[in-house]
């Protein structure tokens, strides 16, 4: 699978509901990630985090009961592990032991609702709906000799992704999105923008000046491609992830897949902060309504 976007010039316009494209976010470069708490080093100069074979499941809610069409939505649940730390100048800068059994790993899980905007033949187009606690990052020590060695993430079983220490929690902003083909190509792509909701463990992620991320203004920008037929037999039969997907029970309304992509961090331009604040107020209202049901 191909990683689509360049490391610079990321647009936040779609996430905030603008009609025209604009470079409304500054991508953060030369980040520092401190792995000392899980037996690793301090890594500087990180510009992006790469991941692959991240399993997920999509379940359709047929809002009007007449089959898949615009206005329906999917609930997408998934998990993944960072495979590489990337630098614009130096390429891969992953330290020794990163993502390996006996070493340490950075993992994540996510839960998203995406709104179907149109269905054109086998292609389903969608945008993201705002949601709280949508993306979480974890650090995990995998060295059993330390007495706290965790379980290595396994895309086949779906185990080992959330047993580490919770580090960051993000909400997802409405907008952006992508498309998926469920009957001929069995693949798709997606872009999403998340905003930092909580620093669960301090001191792990820092900007180029050594300052911590800021709740309410640090963004996570994800760019992924996904595959619903990794064995290339022209069927919806991806069973990895421990989500209950089998070779026989998948359809356009219930399917599993795996994702490859990148995560980058950014800060919005000052002029967009007020608009984001309005969006977050709406997100809070939505969360309160769900809690009262």
């Amino acid at each position: 699978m191909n990683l689509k976007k360049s490391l610079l010039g990321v647009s936040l316009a779609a996430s905030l509901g603008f009609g025209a494209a604009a470079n409304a976010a500054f991508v953060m470069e030369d980040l520092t990630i401190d792995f000392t708490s899980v037996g690793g080093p301090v890594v500087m100069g990180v510009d992006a985090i790469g991941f692959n074979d991240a399993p997920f499941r999509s379940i359709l809610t047929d809002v009007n009961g007449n089959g898949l069409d615009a206005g329906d939505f999917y609930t997408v649940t998934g998990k993944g592990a960072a495979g590489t730390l990337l630098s614009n100048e130096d390429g891969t800068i992953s330290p020794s032991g990163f993502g390996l059994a006996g070493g340490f790993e950075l993992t994540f899980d996510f839960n998203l609702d995406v709104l179907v905007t149109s269905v054109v033949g086998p292609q389903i187009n969608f945008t993201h709906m705002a949601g709280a606690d949508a993306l979480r990052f974890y650090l995990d020590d995998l060295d059993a000799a330390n007495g706290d060695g965790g379980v290595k993430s396994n895309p086949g079983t779906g185990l080992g992704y959330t047993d580490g220490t919770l580090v960051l929690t993000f909400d997802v902003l409405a907008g952006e999105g992508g498309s998926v083909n469920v009957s001929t190509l069995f693949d798709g792509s997606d872009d999403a923008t998340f905003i930092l909701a909580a620093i669960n463990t301090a001191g792990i992620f820092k900007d180029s000046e050594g300052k911590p991320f800021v709740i309410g203004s640090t963004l996570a920008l994800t760019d992924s491609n996904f595959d619903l037929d990794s064995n290339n037999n022209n069927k919806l039969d991806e069973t990895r992830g421990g989500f209950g997907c089998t070779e026989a029970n998948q359809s356009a309304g219930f399917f599993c897949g795996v994702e490859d992509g990148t995560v980058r961090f950014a800060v919005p331009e000052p002029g967009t902060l007020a608009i984001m604040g309005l969006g977050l107020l709406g997100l809070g209202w939505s969360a309160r309504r769900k809690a009262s049901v």
Side-chain angles (χ1 to χ4, degrees):
M1 295 183 179
N2 297 318
L3 304 181
K4 302 175 295 173
K5 298 290 186 296
S6 66
L7 294 180
L8 298 175
V10 177
S11 171
L12 187 61
S15 295
L16 299 179
F18 291 103
N23 289 326
F26 299 108
V27 176
M28 299 166 65
E29 298 180 308
D30 295 326
L31 302 178
T32 295
I33 307 179
D34 187 344
F35 293 106
T36 56
S37 63
V38 289
V42 176
V43 181
M44 304 176 69
V46 178
D47 296 314
I49 299 170
F51 62 90
N52 53 58
D53 282 341
F56 68 90
R57 178 189 64 197
S58 297
I59 300 176
L60 178 70
T61 296
D62 184 357
V63 174
N64 53 20
N66 66 344
L68 173 63
D69 61 4
D72 295 340
F73 67 91
Y74 284 94
T75 297
V76 185
T77 304
K79 41 205 165 185
T84 53
L85 302 181
L86 302 170
S87 163
N88 293 343
E89 293 78 19
D90 302 318
T92 299
I93 56 172
S94 304
S96 176
F98 183 67
L100 301 177
F104 56 96
E105 66 180 347
L106 174 66
T107 61
F108 59 89
D109 70 338
F110 58 89
N111 190 70
L112 309 167
D113 287 333
V114 298
L115 178 69
V116 177
T117 56
S118 64
V119 180
V120 183
Q123 180 172 302
I124 303 166
N125 301 309
F126 60 85
T127 61
H128 289 277
M129 302 167 68
D133 299 333
L135 174 65
R136 294 164 291 272
F137 288 92
Y138 306 81
L139 276 183
D140 201 1
D141 185 347
L142 303 177
D143 188 354
N146 293 337
D148 58 352
V151 177
K152 174 75 174 68
S153 60
N154 185 323
T157 64
L159 300 176
Y161 291 93
T162 60
D163 59 326
T165 299
L166 181 62
V167 176
L168 300 174
T169 300
F170 289 82
D171 299 336
V172 63
L173 296 176
E176 290 194 290
S179 63
V180 59
N181 182 306
V182 295
S183 62
T184 57
L185 299 177
F186 303 101
D187 63 9
S189 62
D190 181 29
D191 296 324
T193 298
F194 302 83
I195 188 164
L196 185 62
I199 299 175
N200 306 98
T201 304
I204 306 300
F205 283 83
K206 299 177 183 178
D207 66 17
S208 61
E209 298 179 350
K211 298 177 181 179
F213 285 3
V214 179
I215 294 172
S217 66
T218 299
L219 306 174
L221 311 176
T222 63
D223 169 21
S224 62
N225 297 327
F226 35 85
D227 192 346
L228 314 181
D229 178 31
S230 58
N231 60 6
N232 296 317
N233 66 349
N234 297 316
K235 295 181 181 178
L236 287 172
D237 60 359
E238 179 61 62
T239 60
R240 288 179 287 177
F243 294 117
C245 286
T246 69
E247 294 184 3
N249 69 356
Q250 297 184 58
S251 66
F254 177 86
F255 59 87
C256 286
V258 292
E259 289 189 82
D260 295 352
T262 57
V263 181
R264 302 175 186 89
F265 297 98
V267 293
E269 289 184 358
T272 67
L273 288 175
I275 298 173
M276 289 178 62
L278 292 175
L280 292 173
L281 285 174
L283 174 59
W285 172 248
S286 175
R288 285 193 295 273
R289 288 188 63 191
K290 287 184 179 180
S292 65
V293 173

